[in-house]
Amino acid sequence: MKILGLEIRRAASSGLADPIQQLVDIMAGGRTNAGIIVNEQSAMRMSAVWACTKVLSESIGMLPLILYRRDGDKKSRAADHPLYSILHDQPNPEMTAYTFKQSMMVHLCLRGNAYAEIERDRLGRVIALWPIAQDQFSVTPKRDDKGRIYYRVLSRKSGGEYKIPADKMLHIMGLGYNGLVGLSPIGQARQSIGLGLAAEEFGARFFGNGANLSGVLQHPEKISSEAAERLRKSWNELYSGLANSNKTAILEEGMTYNRIGIPPEDAQFMETRKFQTIDIARIFRVPPHKIMELERATWANIEHLSIEFVTDSLGPWLENWEQTISWKLLDPKERQEYFAEYLVNALLRGDTTARYSSYATGRQNGWLSANDIRKLENMDPIDGGDVYLIPLNMVPADQAGSRPPKPTDTQGGPSSTRSRESREESSGPDQRRGLAESYAPVFRDVLARIFKRERADIMRQAKKGGITDDALVRWIEEYYEEHPSFSARSILPALESYADAIGRTTEGETDRAWNGLTDDVRTFITDYSDTFGTRESISSRMRVLSTVRKAADEETDRADSLNQMFDDWDSSRTESDTGRETNQAANAITKTIYTLAGVTVLRWSAGSKACPICQQMHGKICSISHNFVSAGHTIDGNADTAPLTIERDLGHPPLHKGCSCQIEPG
């Protein structure tokens, strides 16, 4: 702000532009072959240009811009550097970081160049960035007699001219020929934008003329000019305008009407408008679905289209910003240690099941720790979460075929002499307990989506007018005949990923290498998902019907009662069912894998943190084809725990709500 003083701030706050300069801009815009004058201002009146500019500027504006410090192969946030807060929080006293980045991107989209004056303190450190509004200042890169670049800034309002050295100007440029100035996208695409504006104007005029009565009224006799004027005026009053569209014209005295216009459908009006929207999206390299042109977007590809937007549309702009910031705002010595980078992880995330499946692969193969995963999910680190796991069944390639040495205890004796408690620290049951915790967010997300759909469908029906309680009950009965298949489809991908992770934990227990999901295991997983869908739907159906009938008996509003029930689901049922399903599925899948591997005897493993009831089951042995506990059996408690009566036959854990017991070979 040392060179332009307060003029940038005053011009920005006034919001006024010089009328003469506006006329110059319009003249400079040029008339297109479609007969439309196109410049930056008129182009923004086209919805596709506005939408593309808005999408790009808002997307760049919302992404955090971080200054990092290099530390060998590692990096850390350089929050102690003065530039960090300027990039991340507030570039100047009058703007947020979002506003600054958004306004700069608007200039880039419309003019191909964005300029911000760099304000430095006496030590040369950056203390503020002031964007230059190009509708109020004309900025032109120049070279002086010695070949040095400077920027000529001309105030459109006062006519004042300023020279800003290159080291005091942050200049982000788009596509260009000479590396000094970017080309204006609006100028390069003027004809295409002009055609789009012309199509919009044609459509507006068509609807403004109501029935599109562009034709000739023919009278069988010659009439005077005064009579013709009266006829034209009365015709327009009766049939012109949107309010008079579709009226039936009544012709008298033998008059006839001959249409001479071309109907919009014959001129392929809608196709032209659609093509121009896609053409504008192509110019800005924005996927059409981002500006609500959804003809080619489906639920199957929308996620990948969104990821393409980040990599192909935003990626080049982000790289441009990052390199320019490092070049202009860091000195050569600082560039060896610091660099700027946008955070785009949140925009690149896939669906929950796919993310957690990839996390499980990284965790099990040793290149992701628990805290690495939690950081990617924007969660706080946990104690002990920086440990990396190593697959014990993998050896270096040059040792393939050799038998690895048996592990020994701290006294040098074979591992078989160690206590069972010591071996359980890395046992299969213990690993599966950890997997249950790791996969809990996956199952929680699936259950939440299932319940969300149930809520939306049922509430929509419950709020319909004219539907009696009996009719609603019949609809709910029919709804839950179809709902199990949706629940099964929703849970299946998570179960398959879970089963693959569980299979890896059984390798050391069965002496059989895990080679992924076999057809037998996949068949079991599919059947299990069907059972899950039926079980969840039965539970939901009972609760929903009970709520509707109770509301009818008490003559209360059924929609309010259902809303309260679904609120309870959001806060309690999702969490409760998540805990049950992760442990239930883990044991069911494990038992199936054991059976296929030839295991005949199972052992109940309660774990070190089990409740007194489960502790009594610890170590119990049974045949894989029999039950550990039969229905009706009671397990005694202690002074703090009541006895537990088993409601159904149990061939594997869990024993009760919250149980984390697992099975292992006997």
Side-chain angles (χ1 to χ4, degrees):
M1 297 298 292
K2 296 264 178 117
I3 295 181
L4 297 188
L6 295 177
E7 186 163 356
I8 289 179
R9 297 168 64 183
R10 289 171 178 167
S13 62
S14 69
L16 300 175
D18 181 28
I20 297 178
Q21 185 59 47
Q22 287 184 341
L23 179 61
V24 172
D25 286 343
I26 291 175
M27 297 297 292
R31 186 176 297 274
T32 64
N33 293 337
I36 301 294
I37 294 176
V38 175
N39 54 31
E40 286 78 7
Q41 288 75 32
S42 63
M44 285 289 277
R45 292 197 291 270
M46 184 177 180
S47 61
V49 175
W50 172 276
C52 288
T53 303
K54 190 171 187 288
V55 165
L56 289 173
S57 61
E58 288 181 347
S59 298
I60 296 292
M62 67 176 281
L63 292 176
L65 180 55
I66 308 297
L67 184 70
Y68 288 100
R69 177 184 289 106
R70 293 187 180 89
D71 185 10
D73 294 333
K74 300 179 181 180
K75 67 178 182 181
S76 59
R77 295 195 179 198
D80 56 340
H81 194 288
L83 187 59
Y84 181 94
S85 61
I86 292 176
L87 298 179
H88 184 267
D89 302 316
Q90 193 172 12
N92 61 65
E94 298 180 357
M95 293 182 181
T96 63
Y98 174 89
T99 304
F100 172 79
K101 290 178 288 185
Q102 182 194 45
S103 62
M104 292 283 282
M105 275 305 300
V106 169
H107 288 299
L108 280 167
C109 291
L110 298 180
R111 299 176 182 266
N113 298 274
Y115 302 96
E117 186 183 1
I118 304 170
E119 183 178 0
R120 302 179 186 270
D121 61 13
R122 294 180 179 179
L123 298 178
R125 296 173 299 190
V126 178
I127 59 175
L129 298 172
W130 297 91
I132 299 177
Q134 294 179 62
D135 60 334
Q136 298 167 43
F137 293 90
S138 171
V139 184
T140 308
K142 297 283 187 178
R143 287 189 184 273
D144 61 17
D145 296 339
K146 297 182 179 180
R148 294 173 300 191
I149 297 174
Y150 70 93
Y151 291 86
R152 175 180 174 270
V153 181
L154 176 65
S155 172
R156 301 182 190 275
K157 185 176 182 180
S158 67
E161 183 176 333
Y162 312 90
K163 292 183 179 180
I164 299 181
D167 63 344
K168 292 187 178 180
M169 180 72 83
L170 178 66
H171 176 198
I172 301 174
M173 69 185 74
L175 182 67
Y177 293 126
N178 56 12
L180 293 178
V181 63
L183 298 172
S184 166
I186 302 302
Q188 297 300 310
R190 181 174 289 119
Q191 295 294 343
S192 182
I193 295 172
L195 178 57
L197 288 170
E200 286 190 359
E201 182 176 342
F202 172 79
R205 290 181 182 275
F206 167 70
F207 286 107
N209 288 329
N212 192 30
L213 302 179
S214 300
V216 176
L217 281 173
Q218 185 174 356
H219 197 282
E221 298 180 4
K222 183 177 180 180
I223 60 176
S224 65
S225 57
E226 292 81 4
E229 178 62 24
R230 287 196 304 272
L231 178 61
R232 182 192 61 78
K233 184 176 180 180
S234 64
W235 181 271
N236 286 337
E237 289 176 352
L238 289 172
Y239 305 116
S240 179
L242 187 61
N244 296 321
S245 61
N246 297 320
K247 280 188 175 182
T248 301
I250 299 176
L251 302 178
E252 300 177 348
E253 300 179 359
M255 285 192 302
T256 59
Y257 176 79
N258 299 309
R259 181 185 294 273
I260 61 174
I262 301 176
E265 59 271 20
D266 294 344
Q268 296 185 326
F269 171 63
M270 295 307 296
E271 287 79 3
T272 298
R273 293 207 62 191
K274 184 184 296 182
F275 175 79
Q276 288 310 114
T277 297
I278 296 174
D279 200 33
I280 297 303
R282 183 186 299 117
I283 293 167
F284 286 95
R285 203 176 186 179
V286 171
H289 79 276
K290 297 296 288 186
I291 58 173
M292 304 311 294
E293 170 53 59
L294 303 175
E295 182 176 4
R296 297 183 181 275
T298 67
W299 289 116
N301 68 2
I302 194 71
E303 176 191 337
H304 295 286
L305 290 175
S306 297
I307 292 175
E308 276 188 15
F309 170 67
V310 178
T311 57
D312 298 340
S313 302
L314 296 184
W317 285 119
L318 299 180
E319 186 69 21
N320 192 348
W321 273 81
E322 292 165 0
Q323 291 193 16
T324 305
I325 287 170
S326 295
W327 170 37
K328 285 299 187 78
L329 304 184
L330 296 171
D331 62 39
K333 184 178 180 180
E334 286 181 315
R335 288 198 288 271
Q336 301 299 316
E337 184 178 359
Y338 300 97
F339 65 96
E341 186 175 74
Y342 276 97
L343 289 182
V344 296
N345 288 352
L347 296 180
L348 290 172
R349 289 178 177 175
D351 61 86
T352 303
T353 301
R355 292 204 318 273
Y356 280 97
S357 178
S358 66
Y359 292 158
T361 301
R363 184 84 168 103
Q364 293 154 21
N365 287 281
W367 49 272
L368 279 178
S369 69
N371 281 344
D372 290 336
I373 297 170
R374 294 178 68 85
K375 184 177 181 180
L376 292 171
E377 289 297 309
N378 198 27
M379 300 167 69
D380 293 332
I382 58 175
D383 293 337
D386 294 319
V387 176
Y388 291 86
L389 304 179
I390 300 176
L392 296 177
N393 63 313
M394 300 176 68
V395 297
D398 59 359
Q399 297 180 22
S402 62
R403 187 177 183 85
K406 293 182 178 181
T408 59
D409 62 15
T410 56
Q411 302 300 320
S415 60
S416 60
T417 64
R418 293 186 295 167
S419 65
R420 177 175 293 273
E421 289 75 13
S422 176
R423 285 187 282 121
E424 279 186 350
E425 291 179 0
S426 58
S427 65
D430 206 48
Q431 293 181 53
R432 288 188 285 277
R433 273 185 279 271
L435 278 176
E437 294 180 5
S438 299
Y439 270 81
V442 181
F443 284 87
R444 187 181 300 114
D445 180 76
V446 173
L447 288 166
R449 285 190 283 118
I450 292 172
F451 297 155
K452 182 179 181 180
R453 171 171 168 167
E454 283 183 81
R455 181 174 195 158
D457 292 344
I458 292 171
M459 291 304 302
R460 188 183 306 113
Q461 192 70 15
K463 291 179 179 180
K464 283 185 178 179
I467 297 181
T468 64
D469 291 331
D470 290 339
L472 179 60
V473 167
R474 289 193 298 272
W475 182 89
I476 291 171
E477 295 277 10
E478 294 174 358
Y479 177 81
Y480 280 109
E481 290 179 3
E482 302 293 334
H483 190 66
S485 61
F486 169 75
S487 299
R489 292 195 307 271
S490 299
I491 200 72
L492 184 59
L495 285 172
E496 289 180 339
S497 175
Y498 197 28
D500 186 53
I502 289 170
R504 298 175 189 273
T505 71
T506 66
E507 288 185 314
E509 300 172 320
T510 63
D511 293 326
R512 174 180 290 191
W514 177 254
N515 296 315
L517 301 179
T518 63
D519 291 340
D520 290 332
V521 176
R522 288 185 184 277
T523 298
F524 171 78
I525 297 299
T526 301
D527 292 341
Y528 187 92
S529 67
D530 291 338
T531 302
F532 161 83
T534 301
R535 185 172 62 246
E536 285 293 325
S537 293
I538 290 174
S539 177
S540 296
R541 172 181 166 275
M542 292 175 60
R543 300 186 194 195
V544 171
L545 289 176
S546 175
T547 301
V548 172
R549 287 167 176 155
K550 183 179 179 181
D553 292 341
E554 297 177 354
E555 297 183 350
T556 58
D557 187 270
R558 67 193 183 196
D560 290 343
S561 299
L562 286 169
N563 254 329
Q564 182 60 53
M565 182 204 70
F566 285 120
D567 286 342
D568 293 340
W569 285 15
D570 291 341
S571 61
S572 60
R573 186 183 175 192
T574 302
E575 197 65 34
S576 174
D577 288 7
T578 295
R580 184 189 70 240
E581 292 303 331
T582 51
N583 288 291
Q584 175 85 6
N587 281 284
I589 293 168
T590 302
K591 186 174 181 178
T592 299
I593 294 173
Y594 283 165
T595 301
L596 295 172
V599 174
T600 58
V601 179
L602 299 179
R603 176 181 180 271
W604 191 288
S605 174
S608 60
K609 298 181 180 179
C611 69
I613 296 291
C614 292
Q615 288 287 2
Q616 294 183 53
M617 292 293 296
H618 181 67
K620 186 172 182 178
I621 301 291
C622 82
S623 168
I624 199 169
S625 59
H626 290 76
N627 297 317
F628 279 100
V629 187
S630 300
H633 180 75
T634 298
I635 303 176
D636 295 332
N638 57 18
D640 300 321
T641 306
L644 176 67
T645 300
I646 306 303
E647 297 179 354
R648 57 188 177 87
D649 295 339
L650 291 180
H652 59 72
L655 192 63
H656 55 78
K657 180 180 178 180
C659 173
S660 62
C661 294
Q662 298 289 327
I663 55 174
E664 63 180 339

